[in-house]
């Protein structure tokens, strides 16, 4: 058998494998709602709206994707990530708002510790101070603070979400 004969089947197999659509990866999401006043205690419908937006955007089905600048338009694609709400944790707090010091991610800071951060994406919804809409930890940081914090007025598309930050 020549080298060319041995090479061709391997090349064909590699091309077929590369052409396969990658499997969907489901990200289990825990939404930690930390509130002092009832408007901050976002509804189940508001939480569902945020999960729906994540799924739409990560599937490249967002209605504003034509606004992607020309140099990057060819890179827009379905990420094959899907988000599934696993759990909602609600905690009433004495704090009127939180800063970016991760207090919302600790019971001792008036918040809630993350739920199984090695296997779940934790989102915290709360009142954030000083006009901050949200913040996230850089990848590779400590698991005790892993996740995303979002102001209750910028979370989801309904309920307490306020324009222009009501797009999820």
């Amino acid at each position: 058998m020549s080298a060319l004969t041995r090479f061709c089947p391997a090349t064909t197999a590699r091309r077929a494998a590369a052409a396969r659509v990658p499997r969907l990866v489901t990200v289990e999401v825990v939404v930690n709602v930390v509130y002092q006043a009832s408007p901050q205690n976002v509804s189940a419908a508001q939480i569902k709206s945020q999960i729906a937006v994540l799924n739409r955007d990560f599937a490249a089905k967002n209605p504003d994707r034509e606004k992607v600048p020309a140099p990057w338009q060819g890179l827009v694609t379905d990420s094959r990530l899907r988000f599934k709400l696993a759990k909602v944790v609600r905690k009433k707090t004495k704090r009127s708002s939180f800063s970016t010091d991760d207090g919302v991610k600790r019971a001792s800071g008036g918040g809630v510790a993350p739920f199984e951060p090695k296997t779940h994406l934790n989102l915290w919804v709360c009142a954030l101070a000083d006009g901050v809409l949200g913040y996230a930890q850089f990848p590779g940081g400590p698991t005790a603070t892993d996740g995303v914090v979002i102001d209750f007025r910028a979370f989801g598309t309904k309920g307490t979400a306020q324009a222009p930050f009501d797009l999820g």
Side-chain angles (χ1 to χ4, degrees):
M1 181 183 279
S2 73
L4 181 60
T5 307
R6 285 190 308 269
F7 176 75
C8 288
T11 300
T12 303
R14 277 195 301 273
R15 285 185 182 148
R20 276 189 235 125
V21 176
R23 68 179 179 85
L24 285 177
V25 174
T26 301
V27 178
E28 299 278 335
V29 179
V30 176
V31 177
N32 300 289
V33 180
V34 182
Y35 65 97
Q36 181 188 46
S38 59
Q40 300 166 355
N41 189 9
V42 299
S43 69
Q46 189 168 348
I47 293 168
K48 272 180 80 172
S49 76
Q50 180 63 58
I51 300 297
V53 168
L54 286 170
N55 284 319
R56 182 189 71 200
D57 289 355
F58 276 78
K61 294 183 179 178
N62 45 310
D64 61 348
R65 70 176 188 263
E66 73 278 349
K67 293 180 182 176
V68 172
W72 296 285
Q73 284 178 354
L75 300 175
V76 175
T77 190
D78 183 348
S79 68
R80 310 293 293 159
L81 291 174
R82 297 300 180 267
F83 298 86
K84 178 182 173 193
L85 182 62
K87 179 177 181 171
V88 176
V89 176
R90 296 181 185 275
K91 179 178 180 191
K92 189 164 178 66
T93 185
K94 293 179 180 176
R95 292 188 58 172
S96 59
S97 65
F98 291 88
S99 69
T100 57
D101 68 355
D102 288 334
V104 73
K105 299 177 183 180
R106 297 185 311 271
S108 64
V112 177
F115 176 80
E116 298 180 6
K118 290 184 179 182
T119 57
H120 292 75
L121 169 62
N122 278 264
L123 305 179
W124 285 266
V125 182
C126 63
L128 285 169
D130 302 321
V132 174
L133 297 175
Y135 68 95
Q137 175 174 293
F138 285 107
T143 57
T145 55
D146 196 16
V148 181
V149 180
I150 307 165
D151 187 85
F152 74 101
R153 294 161 290 214
F155 184 82
T157 61
K158 49 182 71 178
T160 59
Q162 298 174 1
F165 309 112
D166 59 346
L167 303 176

